[in-house]
Amino acid sequence: PQGIGSPSVYHAVIVIFLEFFAWGLLTAPTLVVLHETFPKHTFLMNGLIQGVKGLLSFLSAPLIGALSDVWGRKSFLLLTVFFTCAPIPLMKISPWWYFAVISVSGVFAVTFSVVFAYVADITQEHERSMAYGLVSATFAASLVTSPAIGAYLGRVYGDSLVVVLATAIALLDICFILVAVPESLPEKMRPASWGAPISWEQADPFASLKKVGQDSVVLLICITVFLSYLPEAGQYSSFFLYLRQIMGFSSESVAAFIAVLGILSIIAQTIVLSLLMRSIGNKNTILLGLGFQILQLAWYGFGSEPWMMWAAGAVAAMSSITFPAVSALVSRTADADQQGVVQGMITGIRGLCNGLGPALYGFIFYIFHVELSELPMPESPAGGSVTQYHLQQNSIIPGPPFLFGACSVLLALLVALFIPEHTNLNVRSSNWKKHCGSHGHPHSPQAPGEAKEPLLQDTNV
């Protein structure tokens, strides 16, 4: 078989680290290129670009997962990494093409789904959560270090070197998949030819969403996830641009902000989450996380000084406990044969938010006339910009979308109050189970619960 050694979690970890390390290097250069390319309506265009990418990913993820179940994981790892990293060299060649390709690349920007499928092929069920945790920690480590490295290299040697370095790391990742990564899907589970039939029911992105209304508890959980993750997805797409251009953060300050939030989020999602789950229970942990998220978004919305952003960032790390707590509540209360169905609904809701959230935030920035009128001023020794752009906006509220997000999460908190602490989720899914029985296999991760995104991707980092 092709590849070095037998399939292992470490192969998947290296693929994820190299891909997100390459993109992390471009954090600071992307913010500058975005404003230079769209000097007017910067936030609106950023929201549209990320929104189109998110919606395309939501629509294509089930199909790519279904195809990888038939044709194997390695070819789709290669495909997703190649198309996800394809825009990188275009940043300096043609910024317009760079942003256009980023939007279209959403069709294949589902590396995590294929990586989790790869991991599920080669691990037993009791080992899987630890393996997923290792992948998530690798994702966090790449984003904690790379923005700071990219900002430093850009300041000393120029952004062109950063783009070349990121392109080289992306090519290294592609070569690693070609040469070193072995196929994880057993040969007997793959067809003899590429003409094998695909179950289009399995590839339907709306299949999980159609089951939402079949149980009142499931409906409450899904509404909570939608109302709380919609502002989080929008915030992730625009917040670093907001820090850089409106709050006057330097490139180094943005990189440091990402690193600090990443470290605090790791602590919150491991040590703090574990303590809270044992001491106050699952439902109360969800409510506490939503409370932290409301405080954080309101602070971002009204904050007018850099120190306020740092303080709100610490609260943001605490709010990252919400989604792991929701997943734990679902896994604990659902029947064993319902896990994939219910987790798949939540994953589908979050995928929808990844498309709607950025576009919504960009539109709110636009209608409140929060725009950029000039390029960043020279930076002061303290690391901040000489001019605070938000003071030019003559606005009482510097960040209107964040206040909208706080209202959305407040509604999520009110809905979550009605979720019972202990219940059995009963989703009528006989067709789903029949389908899984005929098309799945014991280690097939395409039950939607197996294709969850890493926890840190649900935070603001």
Side-chain angles (χ1 to χ4, degrees), residues 372-448:
L372 310 176
S373 56
E374 54 183 299
L375 285 170
M377 298 286 286
E379 292 167 3
S380 65
S385 178
V386 174
T387 303
Q388 296 287 325
Y389 290 97
H390 65 275
L391 297 179
Q392 301 173 8
Q393 306 303 325
N394 299 318
S395 174
I396 299 174
I397 305 172
F402 303 114
L403 287 185
F404 169 83
C407 295
S408 176
V409 180
L410 179 60
L411 291 175
L413 180 65
L414 295 175
V415 172
L417 288 171
F418 294 95
I419 299 175
E421 178 76 49
H422 302 287
T423 185
N424 284 324
L425 303 183
N426 180 26
V427 183
R428 296 184 292 276
S429 57
S430 57
N431 291 336
W432 178 280
K433 285 185 283 185
K434 188 188 304 179
H435 161 71
C436 288
S438 59
H439 296 284
H441 53 77
H443 292 146
S444 173
Q446 281 316 117

Side-chain angles (χ1 to χ4, degrees), residues 73-303:
R73 316 293 183 203
K74 180 171 179 172
S75 55
F76 285 94
L77 272 179
L78 188 64
L79 187 72
T80 55
V81 170
F82 175 81
F83 280 99
T84 302
C85 296
I88 291 177
L90 295 174
M91 177 182 280
K92 285 299 177 184
I93 299 172
S94 172
W96 279 93
W97 275 106
Y98 171 69
F99 290 113
V101 174
I102 283 180
S103 299
V104 179
S105 71
V107 175
F108 297 101
V110 290
T111 308
F112 268 110
S113 297
V114 184
V115 163
F116 279 135
Y118 189 95
V119 170
D121 286 340
I122 58 179
T123 54
Q124 300 298 321
E125 192 169 345
H126 66 278
E127 305 171 325
R128 210 162 286 162
S129 60
M130 185 177 295
Y132 284 173
L134 184 59
V135 174
S136 300
T138 304
F139 166 78
S142 67
L143 289 185
V144 164
T145 54
S146 54
I149 295 172
Y152 172 77
L153 292 176
R155 181 165 53 85
V156 176
Y157 301 104
D159 288 346
S160 296
L161 177 68
V162 180
V163 174
V164 170
L165 180 61
T167 304
I169 292 174
L171 289 173
L172 177 63
D173 197 9
I174 292 169
C175 293
F176 177 78
I177 296 171
L178 279 171
V179 175
V181 175
E183 176 57 61
S184 64
L185 196 64
E187 184 69 36
K188 62 182 179 182
M189 295 180 182
R190 281 179 277 155
S193 71
W194 278 52
I198 301 294
S199 167
W200 294 108
E201 180 187 348
Q202 189 179 8
D204 181 6
F206 297 97
S208 61
L209 302 183
K210 293 172 185 174
K211 300 182 177 69
V212 166
Q214 295 179 357
D215 186 278
S216 59
V217 179
V218 173
L219 183 61
L220 289 173
I221 292 175
C222 287
I223 292 174
T224 301
V225 170
F226 179 81
L227 291 174
S228 63
Y229 192 69
L230 183 68
E232 191 168 323
Q235 177 182 336
Y236 177 75
S237 70
S238 63
F239 188 61
F240 301 130
L241 178 64
Y242 180 79
L243 287 179
R244 182 80 174 90
Q245 304 288 2
I246 303 299
M247 298 308 300
F249 273 46
S250 66
S251 299
E252 291 79 9
S253 297
V254 172
F257 192 93
I258 295 172
V260 171
L261 255 70
I263 294 168
L264 290 177
S265 296
I266 292 170
I267 296 171
Q269 292 188 46
T270 52
I271 301 170
V272 177
L273 179 63
S274 176
L275 292 173
L276 288 174
M277 294 283 275
R278 286 200 301 267
S279 58
I280 66 174
N282 204 322
K283 179 182 174 180
N284 289 331
T285 302
I286 295 172
L287 296 176
L288 184 64
L290 292 172
F292 277 119
Q293 191 177 357
I294 293 171
L295 177 60
Q296 160 230 331
L297 287 166
W299 209 338
Y300 281 153
F302 284 113

